Structures are given as C-alpha cells and as structure tokens.
Amino acid sequence: MGLEVRDEGRAQAALLARRCTLRSDPDLIEQLAGLSRDEAISAVLNVEPDTSTAPRSDKSDKIMEWWFTRIRDTPKSLQDRMTFFWHSIIPTHRYSVGQQELIAYQLDMIRANALGNFRELLHGFISDGAMLLYLDADNSSGKRPNENLARELMELFTIGVGQYKEQDVRAAALAMSGWRVDKDNQKVTLDTERMYGQPVTFLGDTATWDAHTIVDRLCDHPATAARIGSMVWYHFTGKALGSDARTELGSWWQGQNLDVGPLLDRIVRSEAFWADHYARPRTGFEYYTAAQKILQFEPEKVWRARSLGQMPYEPPNVGGWPIGDRWLSPDSVLRRGEQMFSISLERIRDDLKTTTVDDVLTACGMWVISDETRSALTNLDSYLDDLGPDAVGQLRWRVALSSPEFQLQ
Amino acid sequence: MTDQLLSPEELTESPESMISSYHDLDYGGHLVDEVSAEQLVSTTRRRLVLGLAVGGLAGYGVFRYTKSAISSDPLKSELAGASTAVEDAAGPVLSVGDTMEVEQPLPVADPELLTPAPFDQRVLVLIELEGGNDGQSTVVPYQAGAFHDLRGNLVPEVGAVHAFDDEVGLHPNLGQLAQRQMAIVEGVGPVDGVLSHFVMAERWGMGNMAGEGGVRAGFLARLADAVDTGAAVTGLSVAGYTPRFNQSDAAVLSLERPNQLNYLTKSDWIYPAYRRSVGAIGGGPMASRLTNSWNQIFSIGRSMGAVSNADDSESPMVKEGRDLGRQLLMAATAIKADIGVRVVHARLSGFDTHDGHKGRHDRLMGMLDAAVGGFLSRMDDAGLADRVLVATSSEFGRRGKANGGGLDHGSASNMLLFGPVSPGRYGEPSPLGDLDRQGNFKTTIPFDRYLATLAQDWLGVDAASVLANGPEGLGLFVPAG
C-alpha cells in the first residue's frame, strides 16, 4: 500500500482545514496553502466570532437549515465546529424540549461561547431553557428535587464518575432546584419560593450552594479540565491521551482559566495534530457538512444529516453521539453510499462532464490518497465507451466521496 | 509494559478503535501500551456495571400459567376448558421488598404445538408500540364490571373480543393473531416509574428498569453482542435508527425503507460500476474497516435481493399493516436471507391516545394484526416458524380511568408474544380495583423480568450478563433439550 502526496503544501492545508473547520473545499485550502504553518494555524484559529442569531422558529428543521447554511457559507468555521462539539458532549434532544424556539436560544448561547471559556459555557447551559427541560430540572423544587441534571452535570459534563458520591448528587439537586421555564414566553427564571435555599454539603463543603456556585466548584475541580481537555484533544488529533498526559493537559488548561482559545492553540500546534493525515473517521455531521459544500446540497433538505445518522438536537441519548469506528460500520457506510445515490448530481454541479480524476480529488480536498483510491478512480475510464463521460463523471464524485480519504480526517 | 497481556490480534487494533464515545476517553482512552487487559475488556466488551437500587426483588415470582393449551387455537383451548388448569397464585400486588414463594410448573412439550429451535438458531423480533400502549384495550378484561366502570364507552365491543379464557380476550381487531400460538404477559411495567415517554422509553430501551445513571448501551445491542458470531448483520432495526442498538460490538444495520438497499443490488449501469470501484478502494489508513463494511453490505444486498419479492408490496400485510407491515416485510426478507440476523427491532407508533382513544387504538390493533399476521405466515412458509419469536413492548400503559375520550399516561401494560411459546397467560393482571397513586394500573411483573424472558428463556443469554441484578425470566418456552 502506498500513499501519494499530491502536493505537500496543500496536503498540510487540507489537514488543517478538515480538522479546524467544517469544510475541505479548494477555496479555503488554496488560501491556507499559501501561508506558513504558523500563519495558517493562526488564520483558522483566530476567527472573529459570528454574532448572528438563529431564527426564532417553532420548527427545529428551520433552525437547522439556518445553521447548515451558515456552515456552508463560512470558510473558517471553527466556531461552528466547536459549537457542534460542545453540543455533542453536552447534548439536548429537541423532542423533550417542546417549544423549539428554545433550541434557537441554546444554539445562540453555545455559538457565543464556543471559542470563549468553558466555565462561562457551563454557566450558560445550567440556566438554559432547553437544557433545563431536557434534563428535567424545570420541575425540580426544594421539596421534590430532580436529580437528572445534577447527576449528568457531574457524570458527563464535568468531573466524571468516581469523583463524587450519591450524596453529592442529592446535594447538587437540592442546590440547583427552583429553575422554571415559562411555557408562554420561554423565559428562564429562578423561583425563590420553590428553590431549596438551605445549606447542603457538596463535595465536602457545607454552604448554601446554588446552580452557579455548583458549576464554579466543578470547574475548579482538576478532573473537569483533564476530562474535557482530553475530549477536545481527541476531537482534533484523533488520538487518546494516556492518564499522565490527561492530568498534565488538565492542570495546564486550568492555569489557562479554561479558556478555549489557548487549548485549541496548544493542540493544533502539537506534534500529535500533524502526525497523521487521517487519524479518525469523520462523524456523520462532519461528513455531511463537508459534502454539502462540495455537492451543494440544498440546505433546506436537512433530513440528509438525519439520514447520515447525526442530526443536531437528536442525540441517541444524554451521553451524546458515538465517535470513532462506529462511523466506519456497515450501517454508516450503507447510509453514506445511499446519500450518494439520492441526489441528482447533474442538477447541482455543471462541471461534472469535464472533471478529471485530479479535478475531483482537488474539489474534495483529497491531497493525500492511497494508490488503491487513485486506481479505482482512474479505472472508471474503462466505462467511458459504455457509459459516456457524463456517467463516468458522476461516478467519480460518488466514488471519491465514498473513499476512505473522504470518510476520515 | 502490558504488551504480553494483549493477543497479537488485539494489538492490531488502533487505540481509537476502542473509543466509541467521548466518555470512553475516561476509561479506555489510553495509548495501546498503557491499556491493561481489564481496561481493554471494559471498553471493547461493554457490559452493565451497575449497582441496582431495587433490593428484594430477586427471587420474587408471581406466576400464572395455563398448562399447555389443548390446541394452537386459544379460542378452542378456552372452549375446551383449559382455564381449569390454571395455577393461580393471585396474591397481593407487588411492592418493593416483597418476596413470595411460588411454584412454577415448567411448560411441557405438546406434539401439536411448535417447539422452539435450538438456541443458536433463534431470532427475536421485538416490536416497540411507541407512545404507551393501553394493555387493557389490547388484552381486554371483558367480563369485569370494574373495567366497564373505569372506561365506559372506551371498552372494545365485548361481543367482538376474541376470548382467550373467561376473563380476558384479545382486541376485536386482533382476529388473525388470536388464531396463533401465543402468550400474554400481564402487569408488565416499572417498579418505580415516571410518566415521561422519553424517560420510560429510555429505561426500556436500555434495559435499565431502575433508571440508573450511566447506562448507555442499548438492551438489544447487549443481546446482539451476546449472540454475536461475527455475522454480516446480527442486529437489524427495520424502523430506522434506534438507541436500543446503541454501542453494539456486533454488526448492526438499521434500515428505514426497503429501497435503501437498492444501490447495492440494481443492475443499471452506474450501480455495478460504483460497487466495483468502492469495493476496490481498500488501501490506506483505517481502510480495511471500511472495506469490511462495504463487503458486508454488498453481501447483505445480494442475499436480501435474492429473496425479496416485489409482489409483497400489494399484500394485506403491507396494505393493512402499513408502516409496520413494510418493516416486518424487510425483517422477513433479512431473516429468510440467512445472513445471521438474530435480533430485530420494529416499531409501530401512535399509541399516545390522550384523546380519541378508541378509534385510534382500534386502527393500530388492525395494523398490528395484519403486519404480524403476515410476517408469521411468511415464517411458516419459509419453514422458520420454530426459530422466530415476535414480542411486543411499550414504554408504559395508560391511565385506568378515561379522561373523557382518551387515556393519559399510565404505568403497567400487557405484552403479547407469538411463535413457539407455551401458550397461556403469564404474570398477574394488574388489579382493576386497586390503582396506584396516579390512578394507573400497578406493575405485577417488573419489566426487567419480561426482558430477561426474552434474553434468557428465548435467546439463551444469561440475564445477569445483559440486565442489572440478573432478573429471572418467566419461562415461557419448553426448555431446550
């Protein structure tokens, strides 16, 4: 097996684009390829956050259409990549939310904090209407505390299992009680009548805790920075950290006040980031966003993301979506292949007939390819006499987007 | 440092392959040379590792058993007086901490009945009745005055009920299924449930009756893993994505529509060329997994294409069984194709009958009847009837008393099983005159015991390996010889 590097500079640019944005199309790659590595890293990391807001629609598909359109039209989409990352580890399901406007509010909240500070982001989640409804904190009162949000906050969103006791879950549930989501105007308020408001002992300290002091306490805990930091590390490098490295990264990140920017900077400048061109599978969302730009999917057809198995705000459970090899499973492969045939390529691209193998590779951001992929694409020419250039052109796109190189990042 | 603990086979796995969620990074997120054998096991063979809050339930069994029915026709068996053979252990309704010694007569073989194929040939088809199916409109206590008091004009027409015995009968629209070899399990529900669809569907789907935190793997995924022999497809959802198959190690496929496989089988120019090309890609990092996946789905496409029958789309199974009929047609095709499917998930939605209960539930029962009836006939024709069990599940039943024209969220419900079961009523009916605090039918059979029945008694999978606290099955089958 051999790997062909078609152009070293563009190969590096493509690696950076695939991992730090949600696109890998020529516009961005050409721009980055002209820069030094340091300059290119700065160009994708130092982006001005977009402050536009999602439509206040009662249909979540409309909100997603807006988001997918933004992603498609934003070359340096680190903010949206991180927004989806935060959503995928701190998920909310639209079904349990009811008023879908709350999805728009939460999406705005995550986008506003995605590249900011993890502590601020968690404060945002803990008083977010959609999150309160999703994890049953809306009905939690001092008299009848609901433990769902308190538990997941510790187990999944911060310190992880083994760092707290059931007593801490009960204490946090009491401390975090009293939040209400108004069904009429979707405003979130703290009802002082229904909150507990008494001292409880949480992680060894007795005080009159509330939701925000609980979040602060959890963010001060070294396990949070180590856990979340290593998730971000995996997301960008495709590599898992050993336990010593996790601790080291965590204590360093705590020293950075849990600011997201320095963490990303350190990861993207690490050797691990640049070690392999293909380190992990693209998830359904990553595959969808990359393909939608290249094939110009109509953004209103948001069901394509659903068909690919990773529709935002429809996580399989509160643990979020699977990562890793799940995205190379027969199920995932079947869906991606099916998508390739569910679109009429000639309707959306007028350059099908003229494309050569290298045109397609360039359009798909594939600058490092295996000999097998190159020969599979080249061998399609043997169908020219039977099928004609149109059909062969269409096939090239489908095969390229089904290749390992396009399914990995 | 621990290389010697890993077999050469395991060492070829990249560390990423052990990670299936961000939370795995906590436990298995180590480079290969740091992974201990225990860690490897805990991440690649995910199992329930739970403490369970429900004490005192183990060993509990309320059991009610109609000794083998006289013929496969429940109507006839009822007429022949089979109910005289009922071992009635009608005791107080379950509450946490109770234990009760109950004699459980083992079902015995009856030459006129289908007996189950060996464990390794059995297939489970679990149909999720989504929205909360009313157990008492499905298995109707048609003689009980208390039931008519609760439900008034929502009670199915008594004269049309298919009497199972002199207490209960199947819904009037289950005529085809009433002729089948079947079992009823009554009073199945949570011990300490809530009334949220989302929460209860999750608890059922994860086989997590106590609602413990941290249970992420689907119950059907655990079953598929337990029976996995490396088949191209061990778990199959014909209802699209389902969290019930979350985190399976066995190969699982979810289909939404029959035509999803078209590109795998079509012979028009572009399809074979595509298949040949992607099949040849192979080389490069992680590509072997992808190639394996392509090969698997191509073999599925070939096998399923070979047995699918276009005429079926006009059959009553699809015309009357609607979406469930289409789903079960896909399931029948996959099972007949003999590609290794052992666990199937299907879904019929629309049971959330807060209003217009009667008309809506009537229609749903008609769909269930046509779809499952058609499916069972296909299994009969293919000679597979002794290998396939169809079982229902639902996140909860419905409120005892009508809210006018509808029924609000409830608790316990009644489940149906079709196939080589020992016919009869199992479990204990929820008492009609003793509803819980919210006015719902009480649980007499904790639902993990129902799931244990499917796992252990039907598939031969140790219940303790797939459910917390090792609940006991209800023994609905003639023991494997």
Side-chain angles (χ1 to χ4, degrees):
Chain A
M1 163 201 112
L3 279 183
E4 170 197 346
V5 180
R6 294 173 57 229
D7 177 286
E8 184 60 42
R10 290 184 176 85
Q12 302 273 326
L15 185 159
L16 190 61
R18 277 197 304 277
R19 297 190 188 168
C20 292
T21 76
L22 288 166
R23 287 179 23 180
S24 56
D25 52 284
D27 293 354
L28 179 61
I29 290 173
E30 290 302 319
Q31 188 192 333
L32 297 175
L35 305 174
S36 72
R37 182 183 283 187
D38 268 0
E39 290 167 345
I41 290 173
S42 299
V44 293
L45 292 188
N46 302 335
V47 286
E48 195 60 38
D50 171 38
T51 55
S52 55
T53 54
R56 272 47 181 159
S57 173
D58 59 358
K59 291 195 171 61
S60 69
D61 275 7
K62 285 278 161 217
I63 301 167
M64 291 305 115
E65 181 185 332
W66 170 85
W67 195 25
F68 291 155
T69 308
R70 285 215 74 77
I71 290 169
R72 189 194 60 184
D73 298 339
T74 306
K76 287 179 253 171
S77 43
L78 181 68
Q79 180 187 9
D80 290 307
R81 171 173 279 282
M82 284 308 290
T83 298
F84 187 74
F85 170 78
W86 297 125
H87 170 55
S88 68
I89 65 165
I90 309 178
T92 300
H93 199 297
R94 66 183 179 90
Y95 287 159
S96 55
V97 166
Q99 298 96 340
Q100 301 294 293
E101 292 95 324
L102 287 167
I103 298 294
Y105 298 149
Q106 192 194 76
L107 185 57
D108 288 348
M109 187 278 291
I110 308 176
R111 290 184 88 240
N113 289 287
L115 300 176
N117 179 278
F118 181 70
R119 184 188 299 261
E120 295 307 314
L121 179 69
L122 263 192
H123 280 297
F125 271 116
I126 217 71
S127 54
D128 173 78
M131 176 55 75
L132 292 172
L133 288 169
Y134 176 55
L135 292 181
D136 307 316
D138 170 52
N139 274 321
S140 184
S141 65
K143 280 197 183 118
R144 296 189 63 186
N146 189 305
E147 294 177 359
N148 204 359
L149 177 59
R151 182 184 303 280
E152 305 303 9
L153 175 65
M154 284 185 271
E155 180 187 329
L156 299 179
F157 309 158
T158 57
I159 54 181
V161 287
Q163 302 290 347
Y164 59 90
K165 298 192 168 66
E166 280 301 305
Q167 144 69 21
D168 297 312
V169 175
R170 288 192 289 273
L174 285 170
M176 293 164 64
S177 64
W179 290 87
R180 300 297 295 263
V181 183
D182 192 304
K183 296 274 187 293
D184 297 322
N185 60 17
Q186 283 99 54
K187 289 270 184 294
V188 176
T189 50
L190 179 60
D191 183 343
T192 50
E193 298 288 302
R194 298 179 77 249
M195 67 185 237
Y196 184 63
Q198 307 286 317
V200 290
T201 303
F202 176 66
L203 296 180
D205 295 325
T206 305
T208 309
W209 295 91
D210 63 30
H212 289 295
T213 53
I214 294 270
V215 162
D216 279 332
R217 177 71 182 82
L218 292 169
C219 286
D220 292 340
H221 196 298
T224 296
R227 274 189 85 241
I228 305 299
S230 61
M231 290 179 189
V232 180
W233 182 278
Y234 173 84
H235 182 82
F236 282 89
T237 66
K239 293 179 172 38
L241 289 175
S243 53
D244 290 349
R246 281 157 42 87
T247 308
E248 192 279 324
L249 182 72
S251 75
W252 175 85
W253 192 32
Q254 268 204 308
Q256 302 294 318
N257 194 31
L258 304 183
D259 280 337
V260 177
L263 179 65
L264 299 187
D265 196 77
R266 177 170 172 183
I267 294 170
V268 175
R269 291 180 198 280
S270 73
E271 272 179 46
F273 182 90
W274 296 92
D276 309 296
H277 282 278
Y278 303 109
R280 69 165 172 88
R282 275 181 158 151
T283 70
F285 182 77
E286 288 166 338
Y287 184 84
Y288 171 84
T289 52
Q292 76 157 351
K293 173 63 184 172
I294 291 161
L295 294 178
Q296 300 291 335
F297 285 167
E298 311 87 322
E300 68 274 18
K301 295 191 176 165
V302 295
W303 50 264
R304 288 194 191 283
R306 196 172 282 131
S307 300
L308 288 166
Q310 199 170 29
M311 182 70 174
Y313 288 95
E314 296 177 16
N317 59 40
V318 66
W321 285 271
I323 56 173
D325 282 0
R326 304 293 142 178
W327 298 104
L328 302 178
S329 68
D331 196 57
S332 183
V333 164
L334 176 79
R335 287 156 188 280
R336 290 178 186 188
E338 191 208 8
Q339 284 296 308
M340 292 302 109
F341 285 98
S342 73
I343 42 176
S344 170
L345 292 183
E346 62 268 64
R347 202 184 307 155
I348 51 183
R349 286 200 76 115
D350 51 15
D351 54 353
L352 282 168
K353 290 177 205 170
T354 57
T355 45
T356 64
V357 169
D358 278 281
D359 289 341
V360 174
L361 292 173
T362 299
C364 297
M366 293 159 60
W367 289 94
V368 179
I369 59 163
S370 68
D371 299 343
E372 287 84 348
T373 296
R374 157 112 23 216
S375 72
L377 289 166
T378 309
N379 289 344
L380 289 173
D381 284 342
S382 66
Y383 296 100
L384 266 175
D385 289 346
D386 297 335
L387 306 180
D390 239 24
V392 171
Q394 288 205 35
L395 266 175
R396 274 213 186 93
W397 292 94
R398 292 186 164 118
V399 172
L401 293 172
S402 306
S403 70
E405 289 83 349
F406 195 77
Q407 301 207 41
L408 301 170
Q409 69 168 48
Chain B
M1 63 178 183
T2 53
D3 279 4
Q4 72 278 10
L5 295 174
L6 305 171
S7 69
E9 202 176 34
E10 287 163 329
L11 275 175
T12 62
E13 304 235 319
S14 66
E16 301 82 53
S17 70
M18 290 180 286
I19 295 162
S20 65
S21 88
Y22 281 110
H23 306 289
D24 288 348
L25 295 168
D26 290 355
Y27 322 105
H30 306 275
L31 300 176
V32 165
D33 60 356
E34 296 181 49
V35 176
S36 72
E38 290 94 321
Q39 285 165 331
L40 197 67
V41 169
S42 71
T43 53
T44 57
R45 308 296 304 175
R46 216 166 290 96
R47 290 288 176 261
L48 266 192
V49 187
L50 286 180
L52 189 60
V54 185
L57 286 179
Y60 175 89
V62 173
F63 194 83
R64 184 185 175 94
Y65 170 63
T66 310
K67 211 171 172 180
S68 78
I70 286 163
S71 81
S72 60
D73 182 346
L75 257 177
K76 284 189 209 145
S77 63
E78 195 277 323
L79 292 173
S83 58
T84 56
V86 168
E87 292 259 350
D88 195 344
V93 168
L94 171 70
S95 65
V96 175
D98 281 356
T99 53
M100 187 184 286
E101 286 301 317
V102 179
E103 204 177 320
Q104 297 194 5
L106 283 173
V108 293
D110 180 320
E112 291 186 46
L113 292 174
L114 269 176
T115 54
F119 279 128
D120 62 358
Q121 295 177 19
R122 298 185 193 178
V123 180
L124 171 66
V125 178
L126 191 58
I127 303 178
E128 180 184 2
L129 305 179
E130 188 183 56
N133 177 39
D134 182 41
Q136 285 68 19
S137 299
T138 308
V139 178
V140 188
Y142 61 102
Q143 300 281 41
F147 184 58
H148 290 266
D149 292 345
L150 282 171
R151 291 289 176 81
N153 59 9
L154 298 193
V155 176
E157 194 188 335
V158 170
V161 164
H162 304 280
F164 194 83
D165 57 23
D166 57 11
E167 289 179 1
V168 299
L170 294 188
H171 185 281
N173 288 353
L174 295 178
Q176 208 183 143
L177 292 179
Q179 305 301 314
R180 286 275 170 185
Q181 184 172 335
M182 67 172 293
I184 295 169
V185 183
E186 293 168 85
V188 181
V191 166
D192 189 11
V194 297
L195 299 182
S196 150
H197 290 290
F198 186 76
V199 171
M200 291 312 299
E202 173 124 340
R203 288 192 194 176
W204 271 88
M206 303 296 119
N208 177 18
M209 196 180 70
E212 287 288 304
V215 183
R216 316 268 174 237
F219 174 66
L220 296 185
R222 299 200 292 271
L223 287 185
D225 286 356
V227 299
D228 184 21
T229 55
V233 183
T234 301
L236 174 70
S237 167
V238 285
Y241 170 78
T242 171
R244 293 177 175 218
F245 276 123
N246 273 359
Q247 298 188 358
S248 67
D249 291 317
V252 167
L253 195 66
S254 57
L255 298 176
E256 273 142 4
R257 313 170 297 286
N259 65 7
Q260 236 179 325
L261 294 170
N262 278 6
Y263 78 93
L264 300 177
T265 53
K266 270 194 180 168
S267 55
D268 311 359
W269 51 270
I270 202 164
Y271 300 95
Y274 176 80
R275 291 197 292 271
R276 209 161 303 140
S277 302
V278 295
I281 284 175
M286 284 182 247
S288 62
R289 281 175 192 282
L290 210 51
T291 309
N292 287 343
S293 295
W294 280 120
N295 290 337
Q296 279 181 316
I297 62 171
F298 290 152
S299 81
I300 292 159
R302 259 196 312 277
S303 314
M304 287 185 66
V307 294
S308 67
N309 183 349
D311 296 341
D312 275 339
S313 58
E314 290 300 306
S315 68
M317 176 180 182
V318 171
K319 286 190 122 168
E320 292 157 32
R322 311 286 289 271
D323 188 44
L324 184 65
R326 276 187 290 275
Q327 290 176 34
L328 292 181
L329 200 52
M330 287 192 274
T333 304
I335 293 168
K336 285 194 280 185
D338 202 23
I339 48 179
V341 171
R342 302 287 308 281
V343 182
V344 179
H345 169 262
R347 185 191 296 130
L348 177 58
S349 300
F351 286 91
D352 197 18
T353 51
H354 288 280
D355 52 37
H357 170 80
K358 192 160 184 304
R360 292 167 66 187
H361 193 264
D362 286 355
R363 276 194 297 280
L364 289 163
M365 290 293 108
M367 290 179 206
L368 185 70
D369 193 63
V372 176
F375 173 79
L376 293 170
S377 300
R378 277 160 181 74
M379 293 299 100
D380 290 343
D381 295 346
L384 296 168
D386 64 339
R387 292 180 49 191
V388 180
L389 178 75
V390 176
T392 65
S393 78
S394 194
E395 66 263 45
F396 43 60
R398 305 207 74 84
R399 192 66 43 86
K401 200 167 170 48
N403 65 10
L407 299 169
D408 293 321
H409 296 182
S411 184
S413 189
N414 299 325
M415 306 299 159
L416 306 175
L417 299 100
F418 304 94
V421 290
S422 302
R425 292 170 66 191
Y426 298 80
E428 178 70 17
S430 300
L432 298 167
D434 180 23
L435 304 176
D436 72 11
R437 210 152 40 89
Q438 278 125 347
N440 289 325
F441 295 114
K442 287 183 177 172
T443 294
T444 58
I445 294 294
F447 78 73
D448 60 349
R449 293 199 60 200
Y450 180 66
L451 297 181
T453 307
L454 306 179
Q456 181 134 22
D457 303 345
W458 176 246
L459 289 176
V461 172
D462 178 14
S465 74
V466 291
L467 292 161
N469 235 27
E472 210 183 330
L474 298 162
L476 270 62
F477 310 96
V478 177

